[in-house]
Amino acid sequence: MARKRGISTQATDPAERLYALPLTAITAAVVGVVLNLALFFAWQVWWPQGWTLAHFEEVFRVIPVGRFLWNSVCLTLMTVAGKLLLCAAAAYPLSRMQFRGRRTVLAIIMVTMILPGEVNFLMNFLSITQLGLVDSWFGVVLPNLVTAISILMLKQAFDEIPQDLLDAARIDGAGEITILFRIMLPLIAPWLATVGILTAVETWNDYLWPSLVMAKPDDFPVSAGVLYLRGTYGSSTRVIAAGTILTVAPVMVAFLWTQRFFMRGMDGAVK
């Protein structure tokens, strides 16, 4: 009985098991970490020795950055405007109208969130080809106009609006289109801003789908056009880094400017 008692005490006491670890192994691990950190920081120069804009000038000389930025702005605005309009038009009936198959449609929309976006590349490309939209901006924008997460976010926003407000509008003779555009959409402006910001960032950073659809380099967005630097300056990481900064900087500035709208929308989502 005493022997069993001693074994169970040893198995259930974590402090004794910790002290039982070999001190040599712990010491070796600490020394290894210290040596690795010393070697890492010894070979790193975190502050540039000389400031220069030559790499940015080289990027502007090699690729038409201004043209690529304009293409990205146009594609982003088209995608954001189309998504807000179509997703709001899809979310409003799911939130405020009762019709047969409503729960089934909502379930199908939620199931599509499980599939990664890359799964739809083949079907989207075949559809774009059949419609004759290959090598056009509409071919890039069309598959991204409706997403399940945007519909569900706007549906949640519509659900929070009191029903009495809609009933009063219907008594005054307002139709569903008037209610949607004159009452509902202004009330969910923070949610619309959140969906718009997320869509803008996603569209601006997307390079795989535009690279598949577009054939003429002059119509590429900046996220896809900057990849030309990888072939021309494959060994010059500084020029590639300068091109990457030019790609990311507009999104960062735009997000910092619109983050208050984003936070309002996320605050409504949490509530």
Side-chain angles (χ1 to χ4, degrees):
M1 292 295 293
R3 185 177 178 181
K4 291 183 179 179
R5 229 177 262 151
I7 292 176
S8 73
T9 304
Q10 183 178 2
T12 57
D13 192 351
E16 291 185 3
R17 288 183 299 182
L18 178 61
Y19 295 144
L21 292 174
L23 294 179
T24 55
I26 299 177
T27 304
V30 172
V31 172
V33 171
V34 172
L35 290 177
N36 289 331
L37 290 176
L39 291 174
F40 177 76
F41 285 106
W43 291 97
Q44 298 297 321
V45 179
W46 297 104
W47 194 259
Q49 299 298 323
W51 295 89
T52 179
L53 298 176
H55 305 298
F56 292 96
E57 297 176 357
E58 190 68 17
V59 173
F60 279 94
R61 187 186 66 83
V62 175
I63 60 176
V65 178
R67 178 68 178 177
F68 290 158
L69 289 174
W70 173 250
N71 295 339
S72 293
V73 170
C74 293
L75 290 173
T76 301
L77 292 178
M78 292 170 61
T79 305
V80 171
K83 176 173 285 190
L84 292 180
L85 179 62
L86 294 179
C87 290
Y92 177 69
L94 293 174
S95 174
R96 293 300 183 177
M97 296 182 181
Q98 301 295 329
F99 56 91
R100 181 175 298 179
R102 174 174 169 270
R103 293 181 179 273
T104 303
V105 173
L106 187 59
I108 293 174
I109 293 175
M110 296 181 66
V111 168
T112 58
M113 297 176 61
I114 303 175
L115 301 176
E118 290 76 7
V119 174
N120 300 323
F121 274 6
L122 178 58
M123 297 303 300
N124 288 338
F125 187 78
L126 293 177
S127 300
I128 293 300
T129 304
Q130 293 295 326
L131 294 174
L133 298 178
V134 176
D135 197 17
S136 66
W137 284 356
F138 290 103
V140 178
V141 172
L142 188 60
N144 299 320
L145 290 181
V146 179
T147 56
I149 184 64
S150 300
I151 294 176
L152 294 179
M153 288 182 65
L154 296 181
K155 177 186 177 299
Q156 180 64 29
F158 288 138
D159 290 341
E160 294 185 358
I161 297 177
Q163 182 63 33
D164 295 341
L165 188 62
L166 278 70
D167 295 338
R170 292 190 179 99
I171 292 173
D172 292 337
E176 298 298 332
I177 302 297
T178 303
I179 293 175
L180 175 61
F181 286 96
R182 300 288 298 273
I183 298 176
M184 302 293 279
L185 292 183
L187 291 175
I188 64 168
W191 293 77
L192 294 174
T194 301
V195 174
I197 293 171
L198 294 176
T199 303
V201 173
E202 181 182 3
T203 305
W204 188 277
N205 294 330
D206 187 17
Y207 72 93
L208 183 56
W209 178 247
S211 301
L212 293 175
V213 176
M214 306 298 295
K216 293 183 293 185
D218 291 339
D219 294 334
F220 278 5
V222 67
S223 57
V226 77
L227 294 179
Y228 281 101
L229 297 174
R230 186 178 58 183
T232 307
Y233 294 95
S235 59
S236 180
T237 56
R238 297 179 180 180
V239 176
I240 297 176
T244 305
I245 291 176
L246 292 175
T247 303
V248 177
V251 178
M252 296 181 63
V253 173
F255 182 79
L256 291 175
W257 182 62
T258 58
Q259 63 176 339
R260 61 182 183 276
F261 302 106
F262 179 80
M263 296 308 298
R264 289 176 187 173
M266 295 306 296
D267 182 64
V270 172
K271 290 180 180 180

